mmCIF file with all atom_site columns, all heavy atoms in Angstrom:
data_model
loop_
_atom_site.group_PDB
_atom_site.id
_atom_site.type_symbol
_atom_site.label_atom_id
_atom_site.label_alt_id
_atom_site.label_comp_id
_atom_site.label_asym_id
_atom_site.label_entity_id
_atom_site.label_seq_id
_atom_site.pdbx_PDB_ins_code
_atom_site.Cartn_x
_atom_site.Cartn_y
_atom_site.Cartn_z
_atom_site.occupancy
_atom_site.B_iso_or_equiv
_atom_site.pdbx_formal_charge
_atom_site.auth_seq_id
_atom_site.auth_comp_id
_atom_site.auth_asym_id
_atom_site.auth_atom_id
_atom_site.pdbx_PDB_model_num
ATOM 1  N N   . LEU A 1 286 ? -2.617 -14.513 0.081  1.00 93.00 ? 1041 LEU A N   1
ATOM 2  C CA  . LEU A 1 286 ? -3.817 -15.564 -0.024 1.00 93.00 ? 1041 LEU A CA  1
ATOM 3  C C   . LEU A 1 286 ? -3.273 -16.875 -0.439 1.00 93.00 ? 1041 LEU A C   1
ATOM 4  O O   . LEU A 1 286 ? -3.631 -17.840 0.236  1.00 93.00 ? 1041 LEU A O   1
ATOM 5  C CB  . LEU A 1 286 ? -4.821 -14.869 -0.823 1.00 93.00 ? 1041 LEU A CB  1
ATOM 6  C CG  . LEU A 1 286 ? -5.740 -13.822 -0.174 1.00 93.00 ? 1041 LEU A CG  1
ATOM 7  C CD1 . LEU A 1 286 ? -6.720 -13.251 -1.239 1.00 93.00 ? 1041 LEU A CD1 1
ATOM 8  C CD2 . LEU A 1 286 ? -6.513 -14.207 0.958  1.00 93.00 ? 1041 LEU A CD2 1
ATOM 9  N N   . PRO A 1 287 ? -2.722 -17.009 -1.648 1.00 94.00 ? 1042 PRO A N   1
ATOM 10 C CA  . PRO A 1 287 ? -2.381 -18.389 -2.144 1.00 94.00 ? 1042 PRO A CA  1
ATOM 11 C C   . PRO A 1 287 ? -1.131 -18.927 -1.235 1.00 94.00 ? 1042 PRO A C   1
ATOM 12 O O   . PRO A 1 287 ? -1.063 -20.058 -1.089 1.00 94.00 ? 1042 PRO A O   1
ATOM 13 C CB  . PRO A 1 287 ? -1.945 -18.141 -3.537 1.00 94.00 ? 1042 PRO A CB  1
ATOM 14 C CG  . PRO A 1 287 ? -1.632 -16.756 -3.746 1.00 94.00 ? 1042 PRO A CG  1
ATOM 15 C CD  . PRO A 1 287 ? -2.547 -16.079 -2.724 1.00 94.00 ? 1042 PRO A CD  1
ATOM 16 N N   . LEU A 1 288 ? -0.216 -18.140 -0.794 1.00 94.00 ? 1043 LEU A N   1
ATOM 17 C CA  . LEU A 1 288 ? 0.859  -18.594 0.195  1.00 94.00 ? 1043 LEU A CA  1
ATOM 18 C C   . LEU A 1 288 ? 0.299  -19.177 1.400  1.00 94.00 ? 1043 LEU A C   1
ATOM 19 O O   . LEU A 1 288 ? 0.704  -20.173 1.856  1.00 94.00 ? 1043 LEU A O   1
ATOM 20 C CB  . LEU A 1 288 ? 1.743  -17.418 0.506  1.00 94.00 ? 1043 LEU A CB  1
ATOM 21 C CG  . LEU A 1 288 ? 2.635  -16.876 -0.550 1.00 94.00 ? 1043 LEU A CG  1
ATOM 22 C CD1 . LEU A 1 288 ? 3.454  -15.600 -0.156 1.00 94.00 ? 1043 LEU A CD1 1
ATOM 23 C CD2 . LEU A 1 288 ? 3.757  -17.987 -0.831 1.00 94.00 ? 1043 LEU A CD2 1
ATOM 24 N N   . GLY A 1 289 ? -0.845 -18.743 1.942  1.00 91.00 ? 1044 GLY A N   1
ATOM 25 C CA  . GLY A 1 289 ? -1.468 -19.263 3.171  1.00 91.00 ? 1044 GLY A CA  1
ATOM 26 C C   . GLY A 1 289 ? -1.951 -20.598 2.779  1.00 91.00 ? 1044 GLY A C   1
ATOM 27 O O   . GLY A 1 289 ? -1.872 -21.531 3.531  1.00 91.00 ? 1044 GLY A O   1
ATOM 28 N N   . VAL A 1 290 ? -2.660 -20.702 1.570  1.00 91.00 ? 1045 VAL A N   1
ATOM 29 C CA  . VAL A 1 290 ? -3.271 -22.092 1.140  1.00 91.00 ? 1045 VAL A CA  1
ATOM 30 C C   . VAL A 1 290 ? -2.121 -23.090 1.003  1.00 91.00 ? 1045 VAL A C   1
ATOM 31 O O   . VAL A 1 290 ? -2.267 -24.281 1.250  1.00 91.00 ? 1045 VAL A O   1
ATOM 32 C CB  . VAL A 1 290 ? -3.978 -21.790 -0.183 1.00 91.00 ? 1045 VAL A CB  1
ATOM 33 C CG1 . VAL A 1 290 ? -4.507 -23.201 -0.703 1.00 91.00 ? 1045 VAL A CG1 1
ATOM 34 C CG2 . VAL A 1 290 ? -5.178 -20.948 0.077  1.00 91.00 ? 1045 VAL A CG2 1
ATOM 35 N N   . VAL A 1 291 ? -0.972 -22.702 0.509  1.00 91.00 ? 1046 VAL A N   1
ATOM 36 C CA  . VAL A 1 291 ? 0.074  -23.657 0.179  1.00 91.00 ? 1046 VAL A CA  1
ATOM 37 C C   . VAL A 1 291 ? 0.871  -24.030 1.519  1.00 91.00 ? 1046 VAL A C   1
ATOM 38 O O   . VAL A 1 291 ? 1.147  -25.241 1.751  1.00 91.00 ? 1046 VAL A O   1
ATOM 39 C CB  . VAL A 1 291 ? 1.136  -23.002 -0.824 1.00 91.00 ? 1046 VAL A CB  1
ATOM 40 C CG1 . VAL A 1 291 ? 2.401  -23.849 -0.950 1.00 91.00 ? 1046 VAL A CG1 1
ATOM 41 C CG2 . VAL A 1 291 ? 0.490  -22.827 -2.208 1.00 91.00 ? 1046 VAL A CG2 1
ATOM 42 N N   . PHE A 1 292 ? 1.237  -23.063 2.296  1.00 89.00 ? 1047 PHE A N   1
ATOM 43 C CA  . PHE A 1 292 ? 2.145  -23.372 3.504  1.00 89.00 ? 1047 PHE A CA  1
ATOM 44 C C   . PHE A 1 292 ? 1.376  -23.650 4.770  1.00 89.00 ? 1047 PHE A C   1
ATOM 45 O O   . PHE A 1 292 ? 2.011  -24.343 5.649  1.00 89.00 ? 1047 PHE A O   1
ATOM 46 C CB  . PHE A 1 292 ? 3.004  -22.081 3.656  1.00 89.00 ? 1047 PHE A CB  1
ATOM 47 C CG  . PHE A 1 292 ? 4.160  -22.052 2.633  1.00 89.00 ? 1047 PHE A CG  1
ATOM 48 C CD1 . PHE A 1 292 ? 4.017  -21.168 1.539  1.00 89.00 ? 1047 PHE A CD1 1
ATOM 49 C CD2 . PHE A 1 292 ? 5.193  -22.762 2.655  1.00 89.00 ? 1047 PHE A CD2 1
ATOM 50 C CE1 . PHE A 1 292 ? 4.978  -21.088 0.572  1.00 89.00 ? 1047 PHE A CE1 1
ATOM 51 C CE2 . PHE A 1 292 ? 6.220  -22.700 1.789  1.00 89.00 ? 1047 PHE A CE2 1
ATOM 52 C CZ  . PHE A 1 292 ? 6.193  -21.902 0.706  1.00 89.00 ? 1047 PHE A CZ  1
ATOM 53 N N   . LEU A 1 293 ? 0.266  -23.108 5.061  1.00 83.00 ? 1048 LEU A N   1
ATOM 54 C CA  . LEU A 1 293 ? -0.362 -23.256 6.328  1.00 83.00 ? 1048 LEU A CA  1
ATOM 55 C C   . LEU A 1 293 ? -0.942 -24.696 6.418  1.00 83.00 ? 1048 LEU A C   1
ATOM 56 O O   . LEU A 1 293 ? -1.277 -25.337 5.609  1.00 83.00 ? 1048 LEU A O   1
ATOM 57 C CB  . LEU A 1 293 ? -1.388 -22.242 6.617  1.00 83.00 ? 1048 LEU A CB  1
ATOM 58 C CG  . LEU A 1 293 ? -0.877 -20.841 6.703  1.00 83.00 ? 1048 LEU A CG  1
ATOM 59 C CD1 . LEU A 1 293 ? -1.978 -19.896 7.328  1.00 83.00 ? 1048 LEU A CD1 1
ATOM 60 C CD2 . LEU A 1 293 ? 0.383  -20.688 7.438  1.00 83.00 ? 1048 LEU A CD2 1
ATOM 61 N N   . ARG A 1 294 ? -1.136 -25.143 7.763  1.00 70.00 ? 1049 ARG A N   1
ATOM 62 C CA  . ARG A 1 294 ? -1.679 -26.449 7.926  1.00 70.00 ? 1049 ARG A CA  1
ATOM 63 C C   . ARG A 1 294 ? -3.159 -26.421 8.199  1.00 70.00 ? 1049 ARG A C   1
ATOM 64 O O   . ARG A 1 294 ? -3.618 -25.521 8.940  1.00 70.00 ? 1049 ARG A O   1
ATOM 65 C CB  . ARG A 1 294 ? -1.005 -27.090 9.219  1.00 70.00 ? 1049 ARG A CB  1
ATOM 66 C CG  . ARG A 1 294 ? 0.364  -27.299 9.185  1.00 70.00 ? 1049 ARG A CG  1
ATOM 67 C CD  . ARG A 1 294 ? 0.938  -27.816 10.546 1.00 70.00 ? 1049 ARG A CD  1
ATOM 68 N NE  . ARG A 1 294 ? 0.902  -26.790 11.630 1.00 70.00 ? 1049 ARG A NE  1
ATOM 69 C CZ  . ARG A 1 294 ? 1.213  -26.987 12.815 1.00 70.00 ? 1049 ARG A CZ  1
ATOM 70 N NH1 . ARG A 1 294 ? 1.466  -28.221 13.320 1.00 70.00 ? 1049 ARG A NH1 1
ATOM 71 N NH2 . ARG A 1 294 ? 1.194  -26.053 13.673 1.00 70.00 ? 1049 ARG A NH2 1
#
Side-chain angles (χ1 to χ4, degrees):
L1041 285 172
L1043 283 169
V1045 174
V1046 172
F1047 285 100
L1048 297 191
R1049 297 176 292 174

